[in-house]
Amino acid sequence: MQGDPIDLVIWDCDGVLVDSEPIAARVLAAYLTTQGVPHAPADCFERYTGLSMPGVRDRVRELCGIDLPEDFEARIRDLDDAEFRRHLKPIDGVRGAIAALPVRHCVASSGSPAKIDRSLDITGLGELLEYRFSARQVARGKPAPDLFLLAAETMGTAPRHCVVIEDSLSGVRAGMAAGMRTLGFVGGGHCGPGYAAKLAETGVPRVFDRMAELPTLLGFQGLLRPRI
Ligand SMILES: [Mg+2]
């Protein structure tokens, strides 16, 4: 890991590439409140960040004792779609960071393939990130390592040559469980005071909050001038 040459950067999407978590939490909180289980956006960050939609359904059942309607996923998808098209932005500096890293890149997200495509298209990052992996492709989502291992295997790279960039507790745990060098990113709009310490409690070796720092953190600064 540390010291091994980096061949592949595996990017989480929500909260790492795109600043979607504040929007998604607002949408989910309003929806859950209409279902009789009142939530504020902060509750949604705390409880559901980094989970797939089936994971959210399970967690709501566990925490609130209700089964969400069958059309839950479709409703959230439609509500998110409208809000994302109006408000979604890339994380500050992420385009420059990708361009400054002379390695291969892919996305590995708990979101559906359609959600990943939509987020990258809206923010203009799609042209930089051709290879995309969704938790729908594996039996166990994050914090299991399966998705990252699938991404590495498909890209033909050993885990020790991969770097994972993640913002959620389940995501950094998945990266570490995959035996990959894992960095916790806390620069998204949903990361309040105290979140960096919480992420660090997972044992993730590095937590950072500015994407512009990433090439230096990975030892690439000065090797290549950013193209963008
Ligand atoms: Mg995330």
Side-chain angles (χ1 to χ4, degrees):
M1 284 201 275
Q2 189 83 33
D4 281 316
I6 298 167
D7 178 47
L8 176 67
V9 176
I10 304 178
W11 298 84
D12 175 46
C13 187
D14 296 295
V16 171
L17 290 170
V18 302
D19 205 5
S20 53
E21 296 292 5
I23 303 171
R26 210 164 58 224
V27 166
L28 184 60
Y31 175 84
L32 291 174
T33 300
T34 66
Q35 297 301 311
V37 283
H39 278 67
D43 301 323
C44 291
F45 292 143
E46 171 95 21
R47 298 172 181 178
Y48 312 118
T49 298
L51 296 177
S52 64
M53 280 293 134
V56 172
R57 178 189 289 281
D58 291 345
R59 186 65 62 82
V60 168
R61 186 185 299 119
E62 188 185 310
L63 295 176
C64 310
I66 66 159
D67 272 313
L68 292 171
E70 277 197 7
D71 69 350
F72 154 66
E73 286 189 42
R75 288 288 298 140
I76 294 292
R77 190 172 59 234
D78 291 347
L79 294 165
D80 275 351
D81 192 54
E83 289 299 293
F84 280 17
R85 288 191 189 285
R86 288 172 60 198
H87 301 296
L88 190 63
K89 299 277 185 293
I91 290 287
D92 259 4
V94 76
R95 201 179 170 83
I98 295 168
L101 289 167
V103 297
R104 297 184 304 149
H105 298 267
C106 69
V107 182
S109 166
S110 298
S112 67
K115 183 185 177 201
I116 299 168
D117 291 348
R118 178 189 62 194
S119 294
L120 298 180
D121 288 347
I122 291 172
T123 53
L125 296 173
E127 66 191 29
L128 299 176
L129 295 157
E130 181 186 350
Y131 299 100
R132 304 166 190 180
F133 301 89
S134 160
R136 300 287 167 93
Q137 295 171 261
V138 292
R140 301 180 305 166
K142 304 170 189 177
D146 305 26
L147 180 60
F148 292 139
L149 292 174
L150 173 73
E153 188 184 347
T154 308
M155 301 291 287
T157 302
R160 69 178 190 281
H161 296 299
C162 297
V163 170
V164 167
I165 315 294
E166 263 289 353
D167 67 309
S168 70
L169 299 174
S170 57
V172 295
R173 288 187 177 118
M176 291 188 287
M180 297 176 181
R181 188 169 164 188
T182 303
L183 286 80
F185 177 69
V186 294
H190 61 300
C191 302
Y195 187 68
K198 202 168 163 184
L199 206 58
E201 278 173 20
T202 62
V204 68
R206 173 67 82 151
V207 173
F208 71 111
D209 65 0
R210 288 181 58 246
M211 274 303 168
E213 295 171 7
L214 185 62
T216 308
L217 290 176
L218 297 180
F220 284 107
Q221 196 75 339
L223 293 183
L224 191 77
R225 259 187 321 159
R227 294 189 297 267
I228 295 168

PDB file of all heavy atoms in Angstrom, residues 151-163:
ATOM      1  N   ALA A 151     -13.991  -3.548  -9.000  1.00  0.00           N
ATOM      2  CA  ALA A 151     -13.435  -2.469  -9.835  1.00  0.00           C
ATOM      3  C   ALA A 151     -11.966  -2.757 -10.153  1.00  0.00           C
ATOM      4  O   ALA A 151     -11.533  -2.665 -11.312  1.00  0.00           O
ATOM      5  CB  ALA A 151     -13.583  -1.130  -9.118  1.00  0.00           C
ATOM      6  N   ALA A 152     -11.197  -3.121  -9.124  1.00  0.00           N
ATOM      7  CA  ALA A 152      -9.760  -3.375  -9.325  1.00  0.00           C
ATOM      8  C   ALA A 152      -9.548  -4.546 -10.274  1.00  0.00           C
ATOM      9  O   ALA A 152      -8.726  -4.476 -11.201  1.00  0.00           O
ATOM     10  CB  ALA A 152      -9.092  -3.651  -7.973  1.00  0.00           C
ATOM     11  N   GLU A 153     -10.303  -5.618 -10.052  1.00  0.00           N
ATOM     12  CA  GLU A 153     -10.137  -6.806 -10.895  1.00  0.00           C
ATOM     13  C   GLU A 153     -10.486  -6.508 -12.347  1.00  0.00           C
ATOM     14  O   GLU A 153      -9.768  -6.885 -13.275  1.00  0.00           O
ATOM     15  CB  GLU A 153     -11.025  -7.930 -10.344  1.00  0.00           C
ATOM     16  CG  GLU A 153     -10.764  -9.258 -11.031  1.00  0.00           C
ATOM     17  CD  GLU A 153     -11.709 -10.347 -10.560  1.00  0.00           C
ATOM     18  OE1 GLU A 153     -12.397 -10.151  -9.531  1.00  0.00           O
ATOM     19  OE2 GLU A 153     -11.772 -11.382 -11.244  1.00  0.00           O
ATOM     20  N   THR A 154     -11.594  -5.797 -12.539  1.00  0.00           N
ATOM     21  CA  THR A 154     -12.022  -5.470 -13.899  1.00  0.00           C
ATOM     22  C   THR A 154     -11.002  -4.569 -14.597  1.00  0.00           C
ATOM     23  O   THR A 154     -10.760  -4.701 -15.801  1.00  0.00           O
ATOM     24  CB  THR A 154     -13.401  -4.770 -13.875  1.00  0.00           C
ATOM     25  OG1 THR A 154     -14.298  -5.572 -13.125  1.00  0.00           O
ATOM     26  CG2 THR A 154     -13.939  -4.561 -15.283  1.00  0.00           C
ATOM     27  N   MET A 155     -10.403  -3.663 -13.819  1.00  0.00           N
ATOM     28  CA  MET A 155      -9.415  -2.752 -14.390  1.00  0.00           C
ATOM     29  C   MET A 155      -8.033  -3.408 -14.494  1.00  0.00           C
ATOM     30  O   MET A 155      -7.099  -2.800 -15.008  1.00  0.00           O
ATOM     31  CB  MET A 155      -9.313  -1.484 -13.532  1.00  0.00           C
ATOM     32  CG  MET A 155     -10.613  -0.703 -13.383  1.00  0.00           C
ATOM     33  SD  MET A 155     -11.206   0.114 -14.885  1.00  0.00           S
ATOM     34  CE  MET A 155     -10.060   1.480 -15.045  1.00  0.00           C
ATOM     35  N   GLY A 156      -7.912  -4.633 -13.947  1.00  0.00           N
ATOM     36  CA  GLY A 156      -6.652  -5.372 -14.067  1.00  0.00           C
ATOM     37  C   GLY A 156      -5.560  -4.861 -13.154  1.00  0.00           C
ATOM     38  O   GLY A 156      -4.376  -4.883 -13.514  1.00  0.00           O
ATOM     39  N   THR A 157      -5.954  -4.386 -11.967  1.00  0.00           N
ATOM     40  CA  THR A 157      -4.984  -3.811 -11.030  1.00  0.00           C
ATOM     41  C   THR A 157      -5.080  -4.509  -9.682  1.00  0.00           C
ATOM     42  O   THR A 157      -6.181  -4.752  -9.195  1.00  0.00           O
ATOM     43  CB  THR A 157      -5.289  -2.304 -10.834  1.00  0.00           C
ATOM     44  OG1 THR A 157      -5.226  -1.668 -12.099  1.00  0.00           O
ATOM     45  CG2 THR A 157      -4.285  -1.646  -9.918  1.00  0.00           C
ATOM     46  N   ALA A 158      -3.939  -4.809  -9.073  1.00  0.00           N
ATOM     47  CA  ALA A 158      -3.947  -5.429  -7.743  1.00  0.00           C
ATOM     48  C   ALA A 158      -4.368  -4.388  -6.701  1.00  0.00           C
ATOM     49  O   ALA A 158      -4.047  -3.202  -6.841  1.00  0.00           O
ATOM     50  CB  ALA A 158      -2.562  -5.955  -7.406  1.00  0.00           C
ATOM     51  N   PRO A 159      -5.084  -4.806  -5.648  1.00  0.00           N
ATOM     52  CA  PRO A 159      -5.539  -3.856  -4.622  1.00  0.00           C
ATOM     53  C   PRO A 159      -4.436  -2.957  -4.074  1.00  0.00           C
ATOM     54  O   PRO A 159      -4.670  -1.779  -3.797  1.00  0.00           O
ATOM     55  CB  PRO A 159      -6.114  -4.770  -3.532  1.00  0.00           C
ATOM     56  CG  PRO A 159      -6.622  -5.963  -4.285  1.00  0.00           C
ATOM     57  CD  PRO A 159      -5.626  -6.164  -5.399  1.00  0.00           C
ATOM     58  N   ARG A 160      -3.213  -3.484  -3.936  1.00  0.00           N
ATOM     59  CA  ARG A 160      -2.166  -2.647  -3.330  1.00  0.00           C
ATOM     60  C   ARG A 160      -1.737  -1.491  -4.242  1.00  0.00           C
ATOM     61  O   ARG A 160      -1.048  -0.569  -3.808  1.00  0.00           O
ATOM     62  CB  ARG A 160      -0.965  -3.506  -2.923  1.00  0.00           C
ATOM     63  CG  ARG A 160      -0.184  -4.087  -4.057  1.00  0.00           C
ATOM     64  CD  ARG A 160       1.030  -4.882  -3.522  1.00  0.00           C
ATOM     65  NE  ARG A 160       1.920  -5.265  -4.587  1.00  0.00           N
ATOM     66  CZ  ARG A 160       1.703  -6.303  -5.404  1.00  0.00           C
ATOM     67  NH1 ARG A 160       0.627  -7.040  -5.258  1.00  0.00           N
ATOM     68  NH2 ARG A 160       2.561  -6.584  -6.366  1.00  0.00           N
ATOM     69  N   HIS A 161      -2.130  -1.542  -5.504  1.00  0.00           N
ATOM     70  CA  HIS A 161      -1.808  -0.432  -6.411  1.00  0.00           C
ATOM     71  C   HIS A 161      -2.994   0.513  -6.604  1.00  0.00           C
ATOM     72  O   HIS A 161      -2.990   1.357  -7.497  1.00  0.00           O
ATOM     73  CB  HIS A 161      -1.373  -0.983  -7.773  1.00  0.00           C
ATOM     74  CG  HIS A 161      -0.111  -1.782  -7.718  1.00  0.00           C
ATOM     75  ND1 HIS A 161       1.086  -1.249  -7.313  1.00  0.00           N
ATOM     76  CD2 HIS A 161       0.136  -3.093  -7.984  1.00  0.00           C
ATOM     77  CE1 HIS A 161       2.030  -2.183  -7.347  1.00  0.00           C
ATOM     78  NE2 HIS A 161       1.467  -3.320  -7.743  1.00  0.00           N
ATOM     79  N   CYS A 162      -4.040   0.319  -5.780  1.00  0.00           N
ATOM     80  CA  CYS A 162      -5.247   1.160  -5.890  1.00  0.00           C
ATOM     81  C   CYS A 162      -5.309   2.157  -4.734  1.00  0.00           C
ATOM     82  O   CYS A 162      -4.900   1.855  -3.616  1.00  0.00           O
ATOM     83  CB  CYS A 162      -6.503   0.295  -5.828  1.00  0.00           C
ATOM     84  SG  CYS A 162      -6.655  -0.880  -7.186  1.00  0.00           S
ATOM     85  N   VAL A 163      -5.875   3.317  -5.040  1.00  0.00           N
ATOM     86  CA  VAL A 163      -6.194   4.313  -4.015  1.00  0.00           C
ATOM     87  C   VAL A 163      -7.703   4.522  -4.045  1.00  0.00           C
ATOM     88  O   VAL A 163      -8.288   4.666  -5.119  1.00  0.00           O
ATOM     89  CB  VAL A 163      -5.487   5.657  -4.311  1.00  0.00           C
ATOM     90  CG1 VAL A 163      -6.015   6.755  -3.398  1.00  0.00           C
ATOM     91  CG2 VAL A 163      -3.986   5.516  -4.156  1.00  0.00           C
TER      92      VAL A 163
END
